[in-house]
């Protein structure tokens, strides 16, 4: 697993990008596998990954070191998700999202769609872990989704549909707290 990566320098160039279709249903912590014998090969899970960044950029930007780094992180996250190492996969996607934010070759639309994919996948994986009884992993993933939908973070990446994604995240957090029988410990109402 690659860790401790640094963000690219600020002198990068503009470009274009997009993401594969997302399913409609859909902080660091203990980064172990959620389920040892069950893998994430569900089509809706894998289809939610961002489209390869190189496929969305002009030819002259495709060999940029930052583009290769983003693609490597996203490919590694996809592999980790298939191995049900959802915490590690989420960390890789977050690093790739940070690289996309720093890389001026990514369009605002590309960045927004990658951020949306990150939130959707954290919610999906969190629910998956909760259904298999890995509650600490589920909470870690759902808290990642919550943090990504905070106003300042969502604004920084141009996240569209923030209210819907945040409501979905709160719904998943409520399910977590119901499962843990901690009804009074759930998140408060969203700020207005």
């Amino acid at each position: 697993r690659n860790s401790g990566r640094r963000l690219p320098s600020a002198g990068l160039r503009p470009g274009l990008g997009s993401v594969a279709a997302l399913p409609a249903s859909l902080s660091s912590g203990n980064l172990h596998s959620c389920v040892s014998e069950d893998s994430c090969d569900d089509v809706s899970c894998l289809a939610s990954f961002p489209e390869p960044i190189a496929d969305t950029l002009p030819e002259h930007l495709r060999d940029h070191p930052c583009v290769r780094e983003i693609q490597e992180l996203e490919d590694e996250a996809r592999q980790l998700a298939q191995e049900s190492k959802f915490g590690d996969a989420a960390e890789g996607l977050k690093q790739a999202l940070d690289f996309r934010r720093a890389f001026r070759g990514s369009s605002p639309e590309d960045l927004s769609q990658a951020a949306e994919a990150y939130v959707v996948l954290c919610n999906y994986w969190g629910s998956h872990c909760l259904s298999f009884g890995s509650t600490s992993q589920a909470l870690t993933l759902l808290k990642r989704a919550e943090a990504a939908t905070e106003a300042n973070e969502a604004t920084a990446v141009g996240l569209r549909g923030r209210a819907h994604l945040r409501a979905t995240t709160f719904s998943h957090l409520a399910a977590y707290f119901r499962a843990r029988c901690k009804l009074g410990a759930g998140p408060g109402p969203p700020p207005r």
Side-chain angles (χ1 to χ4, degrees), residues 87-104:
D88 290 334
E91 178 64 27
L93 281 181
K94 177 64 174 148
Q95 288 179 5
L97 183 60
D98 290 343
F99 269 94
R100 281 181 187 250
R101 186 183 325 183
F103 179 55
R104 295 194 183 132

Side-chain angles (χ1 to χ4, degrees), residues 115-181:
E116 185 176 355
Y118 172 72
V119 172
V120 167
L121 286 166
C122 284
N123 274 307
Y124 180 85
W125 293 331
S127 295
H128 183 79
C129 288
L130 184 60
S131 71
F132 282 94
S134 182
T135 55
S136 64
Q137 181 74 357
L139 182 61
T140 299
L141 290 161
L142 295 173
K143 287 294 190 177
R144 283 178 172 274
E146 181 184 15
T149 59
E150 290 284 343
N152 60 346
E153 180 68 17
T155 302
V157 295
L159 184 64
R160 289 179 301 222
R162 174 186 170 266
H164 174 72
L165 290 170
R166 193 153 175 85
T168 301
T169 300
F170 281 141
S171 175
H172 289 284
L173 280 167
Y176 165 84
F177 286 111
R178 271 194 311 275
R180 298 285 295 166
C181 297

Side-chain angles (χ1 to χ4, degrees), residues 36-125:
S36 59
E37 61 277 341
D38 186 35
S39 68
C40 182
D41 54 6
D42 182 355
V43 174
S44 63
C45 172
L46 296 178
S48 296
F49 273 82
E51 182 178 338
I53 190 168
D55 294 351
T56 67
L57 295 173
E59 189 72 35
H60 70 280
L61 289 177
R62 291 182 182 171
D63 288 332
H64 193 282
C66 189
V67 172
R68 287 192 304 267
E69 185 70 14
I70 292 166
Q71 194 59 54
E72 181 182 314
L73 284 166
E74 290 174 351
D75 290 345
E76 185 177 4
R78 181 178 280 107
Q79 180 62 39
L80 289 166
Q82 289 175 330
E83 297 169 7
S84 296
K85 295 178 181 175
F86 302 124
D88 290 334
E91 178 64 27
L93 281 181
K94 177 64 174 148
Q95 288 179 5
L97 183 60
D98 290 343
F99 269 94
R100 281 181 187 250
R101 186 183 325 183
F103 179 55
R104 295 194 183 132
S106 292
S107 70
E109 182 178 315
D110 173 50
L111 184 59
S112 175
Q113 290 175 339
E116 185 176 355
Y118 172 72
V119 172
V120 167
L121 286 166
C122 284
N123 274 307
Y124 180 85
W125 293 331

